[in-house]
């Protein structure tokens, strides 16, 4: 039997809360809404959940597994675990759940994530404020906040690949505009205003060369994913392959001391492992949902995940490669830039919706294979998902 | 004096106070680095086994695993590896400081090391990656005197 044939684990249900810039509902309530919707979608009850999985940076303090289990009355849970950080941790939670189901350790798993970074002042910056080295060696010089880190990447990228500032800005504008176009087809997206190149060009600069529209939203929201065996669902989305890559540098030094800077070699490792596990190529992917905390971070991942070669990303994007009608539609839900900043669990939900043909006005016709790329400062996870047969 | 031209200090001090647990503790006491800054010199931890400097300071050498560092001086000269002009204040305390320029600096004598530094530039001065920059003594902030780079060599 091939490795692929052994994979029985599927995503059988997804659910999302409302996504808002600032929401009056606490994270517990947002998670409850998402879990309820995911259970309804999967056709499971709380008592059927054997295991819960989430990431390890935000959830342990914001809404840990014990609170989830008690709140949702998950009486049958016999495994609860946290995986790596932020978006890659959510991806790892899905792949760990799938592996446990494939191994017949469990039957049904719940993956969840929720956040209130839109409501809590400074919350998104505090993620990096916990590192003493950053505090003493970076903040004291004004390198403070995620836009500044990725601005350094963008500037270095231009130099290494001989990309002019106008050329890069055109590419980043194309990413922002295409992503917003996708958000406008998604009723669940926070952003409802059109974005065109003129508005992009007039936007406030945040950390040169990155302007307002190059930066993710900050928002409140939650999502949940149910995994089980294929035969238990009407529209099972198979987890065909998963990959993870990481850096030997820790989070305090990875933005400035990465010897491969501005490249992200752990992204390549993650994608290579996922595609090898799935037994498919980049050319087979119908739709890609890729972590877009910044336009430049999406561009770098397009290259490092192997959808185009290093240094080609600006031309690739500016030539329309990621649009809805292109061979590789990207972030069809509006992404972190225009749907909501929930650290990429919305990217997994969107991939599932696309593969089930339930993406509404944003549906990519005939989508049968999706790639999800999830980035954090020093690690990356890739999922390859397959449509119901 | 570089310190007089540096737009950041009070804003950064206020911003640091906004962070939880503002007291920093490190594996390696960084006094030699800050003392070097007072002499306009880049002083970094050096691994005698690997014969190279490493930054940021770590518990042991990230290449060979050897414990124990020597601190060595690496002169004043650096090259600009990347930079950004920060225009948006992510905390209210920085509002009076923006815009300002921050760079990543490679000391010429310590290949592989990159230092974050507020970058002192002339108004509207064009910058280019690879251009020479020079270390100088910045203000006292956080745990010691800052090493701050400028596009001009100060006395």
């Amino acid at each position: 039997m091939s490795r692929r044939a052994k994979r029985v684990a599927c995503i059988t249900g997804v659910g999302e809360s409302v996504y808002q810039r600032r929401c009056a509902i606490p994270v517990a309530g947002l998670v409850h809404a998402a879990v309820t919707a995911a259970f309804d979608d999967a056709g499971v009850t709380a008592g059927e959940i054997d295991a819960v999985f989430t990431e390890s940076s935000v959830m342990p303090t914001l809404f840990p597994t014990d609170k989830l289990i008690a709140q949702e009355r998950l009486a049958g849970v016999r495994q609860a675990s946290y995986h790596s950080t932020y978006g890659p941790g959510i991806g790892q939670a899905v792949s760990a759940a799938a592996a446990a189901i494939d191994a017949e350790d469990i039957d049904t798993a719940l993956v969840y994530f929720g956040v209130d970074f839109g409501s809590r002042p400074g919350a998104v910056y505090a993620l990096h404020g916990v590192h003493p080295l950053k505090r003493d060696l970076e903040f004291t010089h004004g390198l403070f906040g995620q836009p500044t880190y990725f601005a350094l990447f963008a500037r270095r990228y231009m130099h290494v690949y001989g990309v002019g500032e106008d050329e890069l800005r055109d590419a980043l504008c194309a990413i922002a505009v295409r992503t917003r176009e996708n958000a406008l087809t998604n009723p669940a997206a926070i952003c409802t205003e059109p974005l065109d190149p003129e508005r992009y060009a007039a936007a406030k600069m945040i950390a040169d060369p990155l302007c307002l529209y190059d930066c993710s939203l900050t928002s409140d929201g939650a999502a949940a994913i149910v995994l089980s065996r294929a035969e238990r669902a009407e529209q099972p989305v198979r987890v065909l392959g998963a990959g993870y890559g990481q850096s030997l540098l820790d989070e305090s030094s990875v933005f400035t001391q990465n010897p491969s800077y501005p490249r992200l070699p752990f992204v390549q490792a993650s994608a290579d492992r996922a595609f090898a596990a799935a037994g498919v190529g980049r050319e087979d992917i119908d739709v890609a949902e890729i972590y877009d905390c910044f336009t430049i971070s999406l561009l770098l991942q397009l290259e490092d995940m192997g959808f185009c070669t290093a240094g080609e990303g600006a031309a690739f994007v500016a030539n329309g490669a990621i649009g809805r009608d292109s061979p590789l539609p990207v972030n069809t839900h509006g992404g972190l830039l225009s749907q909501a900043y929930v650290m990429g669990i919305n990217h997994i939900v969107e991939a599932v919706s696309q593969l089930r043909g339930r993406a509404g006005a944003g549906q990519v016709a005939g989508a049968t294979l999706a790639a999800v790329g999830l980035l954090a400062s020093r690690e990356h996870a890739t999922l390859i998902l397959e449509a119901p047969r | 004096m570089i310190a007089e031209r540096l737009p950041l200090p009070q804003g950064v001090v206020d911003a640091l106070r906004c962070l939880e647990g503002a007291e920093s503790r490190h594996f390696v006491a960084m006094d030699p680095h800050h003392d070097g800054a007072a002499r306009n010199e880049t002083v970094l931890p050096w691994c005698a086994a690997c014969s190279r400097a490493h930054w940021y300071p770590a518990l042991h050498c990230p290449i060979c695993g050897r414990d124990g560092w020597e601190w060595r001086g690496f002169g004043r000269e650096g090259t600009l590896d990347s930079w950004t002009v920060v225009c948006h204040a992510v905390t209210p305390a920085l509002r009076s400081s923006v815009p300002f320029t921050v760079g990543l600096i490679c000391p010429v004598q310590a290949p592989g090391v990159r230092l974050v530094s507020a970058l002192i530039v002339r108004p509207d001065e064009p910058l280019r990656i690879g251009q020479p920059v020079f270390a100088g003594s910045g203000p006292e902030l956080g745990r010691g005197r800052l090493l701050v780079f400028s596009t001009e060599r100060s006395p």
Side-chain angles (χ1 to χ4, degrees), chain A residues 132-133 135-142 144 151-152 155-156 159 204-208 252 256-258 261, chain B residues 8 12 16 19 21 23-24 26 55-56 81-82 84-85 87-88 90 100 102 104 114 117-118 129 143 147:
Chain A
L133 286 168
R135 215 154 42 211
D136 284 354
L137 301 177
E138 298 181 2
F139 295 178
T140 47
H141 291 269
F144 187 89
L152 294 175
R155 181 78 61 195
R156 187 71 193 167
H159 175 76
K204 176 184 177 178
M205 196 60 74
I206 301 297
D208 156 71
S252 64
T256 63
Q257 306 302 315
N258 170 6
Y261 167 75
Chain B
L8 287 173
V12 171
L16 286 169
L19 298 171
E23 184 193 353
S24 300
H26 301 288
W55 196 246
Y56 296 151
D81 204 51
S82 192
T84 180
V85 181
C87 303
H88 173 69
V90 297
F100 56 83
V102 185
L104 273 183
R114 294 191 201 94
S117 173
I129 286 177
R143 296 176 66 84
L147 186 71

Side-chain angles (χ1 to χ4, degrees), chain A residues 25 44 66 79 116 122 138-139 152 163 233 291 339 364:
Chain A
I25 303 168
V44 300
D66 63 297
Q79 182 179 348
D116 62 354
E138 298 181 2
F139 295 178
L152 294 175
V163 175
Y291 200 88
Q339 189 200 19
V364 173

